[in-house]
Amino acid sequence: MQSLAALCFLVLAHLPPLRGDVVQSFQDVPDCLEFFYQGKVPEWGAATPGAARLCQRFRNSYHFATLYDTHHRIAVYSAYLFQTSNGGGREKRWFVEPQLVNQSWGAEMRDGYWLGQDNPGVYLGERQALNEDYTHSGFDRGHLNPNGHHPVPSRNATFTLTNVVPQNPKLNQNAWRIYESELTDLFNGQCTQAYVLVGAIPSSDNWIIKNNIKRVNIPDYLWNAYCCLDNNGRPIHSGGGAARNTEQNHVDRHTLSGLREFLSQYTNSPVGELFFNNCGA
């Protein structure tokens, strides 16, 4: 019996430590860093006040990474690796990040409804958006990392409220949806791997308001950047897009340098590289 206990201790002692998914630095979690080309985390958004770095964990695995603005309660960006979808329906639940409520809580995203039921009297929405914020708001829960760019279970993991922003319904259901579909065709047709960043630029003072409280910032723009690799891991294509979050319903295509110039209008800090070596050979 003592031998068995000693063996268990040795096995546990040599297991890697279980990390929560709210981390100090993406570089601290190798499995999370894999969503960035060559492990290069963008400088863009790093200085955002109150930013939280989320390694999005679902079913005991990491599926993508999000830099989350806890003040505006929207993501700065989500970073992911494109995966060919295997179909499957839309997730019916909307998840929240427990560790944005209490750092000692579990590392997995949780259904916001049941997390609230399990913790009566605890307010979940101080540092993140809740499902009820979007109800009757007139805005879609617009995915940054789109569910259609993944198979199950990564597809399910995109249904976390830390990965969505208030998106104009016309844009979400038309031009932006078509743009995501065109990227699907590009990635499936030309890329062995595709690294993608999708972000939002917050408005100066446009919010979903509930009970006279500013709850979720309505971003002015959505943007996308991608880096496409061949089967030898060499960059072969890159680009991006940006759209006003209005009924204009139009996506402007950009080169990576053009997108960096676009983003530079909304920061006082250098934009820096979005991908390692600007996704160059």
Side-chain angles (χ1 to χ4, degrees), residues 18-280:
L18 182 65
R19 295 184 180 272
D21 62 356
V22 177
V23 298
Q24 291 296 314
S25 169
F26 289 127
Q27 288 88 342
D28 293 340
V29 186
D31 287 350
C32 191
L33 203 59
E34 291 179 3
F35 303 114
F36 301 92
Y37 173 48
Q38 296 283 18
K40 164 74 175 179
V41 177
E43 297 173 40
W44 172 259
T48 301
R53 289 153 181 83
L54 312 180
C55 296
Q56 300 282 14
R57 186 178 179 126
F58 179 69
R59 294 188 182 175
N60 205 35
S61 295
Y62 296 126
H63 297 274
F64 61 104
T66 299
L67 183 65
Y68 191 72
D69 181 343
T70 60
H71 171 66
H72 290 106
R73 300 185 185 91
I74 59 173
V76 178
Y77 64 74
S78 283
Y80 65 95
L81 265 170
F82 172 81
Q83 302 164 289
T84 301
S85 174
N86 58 1
R90 290 175 62 87
E91 176 63 64
K92 296 180 180 180
R93 300 166 292 176
W94 284 102
F95 302 113
V96 296
E97 175 48 62
Q99 293 189 344
L100 287 179
V101 183
N102 187 320
Q103 185 68 45
S104 69
W105 286 8
E108 291 246 345
M109 59 180 70
R110 288 280 307 277
D111 180 327
Y113 174 80
W114 286 110
L115 185 64
Q117 294 293 303
D118 293 344
N119 298 276
V122 177
Y123 182 51
L124 307 181
E126 185 65 33
R127 303 180 66 219
Q128 64 189 310
L130 303 177
N131 196 32
E132 52 263 36
D133 292 325
Y134 285 86
T135 304
H136 306 304
S137 69
F139 290 89
D140 285 356
R141 300 164 184 81
H143 283 68
L144 295 185
N145 176 4
N147 69 87
H149 284 190
H150 302 279
V152 172
S154 292
R155 182 184 182 98
N156 307 76
T158 65
F159 285 82
T160 169
L161 291 162
T162 55
N163 178 52
V164 303
V165 300
Q167 191 170 3
N168 181 279
K170 187 173 182 179
L171 175 65
N172 186 39
Q173 297 167 31
N174 291 276
W176 196 257
R177 175 188 59 80
I178 292 168
Y179 177 63
E180 290 176 338
S181 179
E182 290 173 349
L183 290 181
T184 297
D185 293 340
L186 171 67
F187 297 159
N188 277 325
Q190 298 186 26
C191 308
T192 300
Q193 279 190 313
Y195 290 85
V196 190
L197 296 168
V198 189
I201 297 173
S203 61
S204 60
D205 196 25
N206 191 14
W207 296 75
I208 291 176
I209 297 175
K210 296 286 183 175
N211 300 317
N212 296 317
I213 296 173
K214 295 178 179 179
R215 283 294 306 154
V216 186
N217 186 272
I218 301 166
D220 281 340
Y221 287 91
L222 277 72
W223 60 270
N224 161 288
Y226 60 87
C227 178
C228 183
L229 312 181
D230 66 13
N231 57 8
N232 293 311
R234 294 178 300 205
I236 55 173
H237 192 61
S238 65
R244 286 186 63 87
N245 190 23
T246 68
E247 294 209 355
Q248 282 187 359
N249 193 35
H250 176 74
V251 180
D252 292 317
R253 271 62 167 182
H254 291 283
T255 62
L256 285 185
S257 59
L259 183 64
R260 289 173 62 193
E261 184 176 340
F262 166 79
L263 293 175
S264 69
Q265 302 173 72
Y266 304 99
T267 180
N268 293 321
S269 303
V271 174
E273 294 180 339
L274 296 174
F275 299 105
F276 174 78
N277 199 30
N278 286 318
C279 190

